[in-house]
Amino acid sequence: MSLQGKTALVTGSTSGIGLAIADALARQGADVMLNGFGDHRSAQAQLAAHGRRVSYHGADMSKPGEIADLIEQTVSTFGGIDILVNNAGIQHVAPIEEFPVEKWDAIIAINLSSAFHTTRLALPHMRAGRWGRIVNVASVHGLVGSVQKSAYVAAKHGIVGLTKVVALETADQPITCNAICPGFVLTPLVQEQVAMRAAALSVDDEQAKRALLQEKQPSGEFVAPEQLAGLVVFLCSEAAAQVRGAAWNMDGGWTAQ
Ligand code: NAD
């Protein structure tokens, strides 16, 4: 177990990609602080089965005060913070003229600003411990655009930029910061888009999934949360110590086009 003795905080880890990442880090021996609005009891039970210490904090990642409390509680519970995975995220799909202003503000706050706050607050602890890994869950939408996703694409391009700056500011230390850029992953966030597509085309769920993939993802298959979790475990390993400021896509060929 390569991460024995490390403490990991994974934001938005009660479901989907975040839960798979938290699970994989616990399997590698890390103690984990969970966060998110989903069923945290079942997430905690799932991770505890790996024999690691697991805790939960319900901070709303759009609120800087609650984020500060989350970092403080992680450090007071586990004695430090070694791995930070900025994963919490939401989506809203609409043309820019109809895009609700409050949705824009929420997406920028949760998908981008929260990573600024967690990073600025966690870095002093990583510097003190002389080791750290920051992984930002961006998206293919951190590299390319798509219609009707103005806030999401802006936030994800923003987090790729933030990743590069943090990587440079930590470059002389054993602390790395990288982004991962998934294509479509079948989580609640994407299931909502599948349902919208099914309604718009008057087709069933399976046909809507195929239509969504066909449009963007040449493999025709969803990326699995466990595959992304494997990439995060690699980025946390010593083999990845010189991977710095990367935006690493795992997207079934989406951005190769
Ligand atoms: P998800 O909806 O399953 O998970 C999102 C998590 O964030 C949940 O735990 C949710 O409770 C939490 N969350 C939402 N708002 C929050 C808030 N204000 N405060 C705290 N937690 C909050 O979705 P997912 O697909 O697993 O998304 C995880 C990340 O992966 C997001 O950043 C998303 O943009 C990114 N991503 C997803 C896909 C995909 O296809 N699903 C592709 C690329 C990137």
Side-chain angles (χ1 to χ4, degrees):
M1 292 204 292
S2 58
L3 300 176
Q4 193 103 34
K6 306 287 191 212
T7 292
L9 163 60
V10 185
T11 69
S13 45
T14 51
S15 69
I17 297 166
L19 178 56
I21 292 171
D23 189 82
L25 295 176
R27 278 176 194 272
Q28 292 300 317
D31 295 328
V32 178
M33 175 63 88
L34 294 166
N35 159 261
F37 294 157
D39 180 357
H40 66 89
R41 283 195 184 79
S42 100
Q44 264 176 290
Q46 179 182 328
L47 263 67
H50 305 315
R52 309 316 312 163
R53 289 190 298 160
V54 187
S55 192
Y56 166 78
H57 190 294
D60 180 338
M61 299 308 291
S62 68
K63 304 211 164 104
E66 294 187 24
I67 296 172
D69 197 60
L70 166 64
I71 300 292
E72 258 170 50
Q73 201 164 307
T74 305
V75 171
S76 65
T77 304
F78 296 114
I81 175 163
D82 307 296
I83 298 166
L84 168 64
V85 182
N86 289 306
N87 168 78
I90 58 168
Q91 173 65 287
H92 186 80
V93 180
I96 192 156
E97 306 96 307
E98 291 158 29
F99 211 90
V101 171
E102 63 280 5
K103 287 283 183 197
W104 170 278
D105 289 341
I107 289 174
I108 298 300
I110 297 165
N111 296 19
L112 176 58
S113 302
S114 73
F116 160 68
H117 293 297
T118 53
T119 301
R120 76 183 167 80
L121 295 166
L123 257 183
H125 300 286
M126 293 180 181
R127 289 194 200 277
R130 291 207 48 78
W131 194 89
R133 293 286 187 269
I134 301 172
V135 181
N136 293 323
V137 181
S139 166
V140 283
H141 287 118
L143 306 170
V144 296
S146 287
V147 294
Q148 303 203 353
K149 295 185 177 173
S150 53
Y152 191 84
V153 170
K156 295 299 188 182
H157 274 70
I159 205 165
V160 168
L162 176 68
T163 300
K164 291 175 183 172
V165 173
V166 174
L168 292 174
E169 292 187 10
T170 54
D172 60 348
Q173 297 205 297
I175 298 170
T176 70
C177 180
N178 292 289
I180 64 171
C181 299
F184 280 131
V185 187
L186 194 56
T187 63
L189 185 143
V190 161
Q191 186 57 48
E192 218 172 288
Q193 293 172 56
V194 171
M196 279 171 73
R197 182 72 60 120
L201 301 178
S202 302
V203 296
D204 67 21
D205 197 69
E206 278 314 305
Q207 289 169 309
K209 280 178 192 157
R210 267 204 304 277
L212 202 69
L213 288 170
Q214 226 165 32
E215 196 176 286
K216 298 283 188 182
Q217 206 146 294
S219 68
E221 291 176 359
F222 287 104
V223 178
E226 295 71 23
Q227 293 170 331
L228 290 163
L231 178 56
V232 174
V233 167
F234 166 68
L235 290 172
C236 291
S237 73
E238 283 316 300
Q242 292 309 326
V243 182
R244 292 170 184 264
W248 197 314
N249 56 306
M250 186 185 277
D251 61 8
W254 183 325
T255 55
Q257 295 168 101

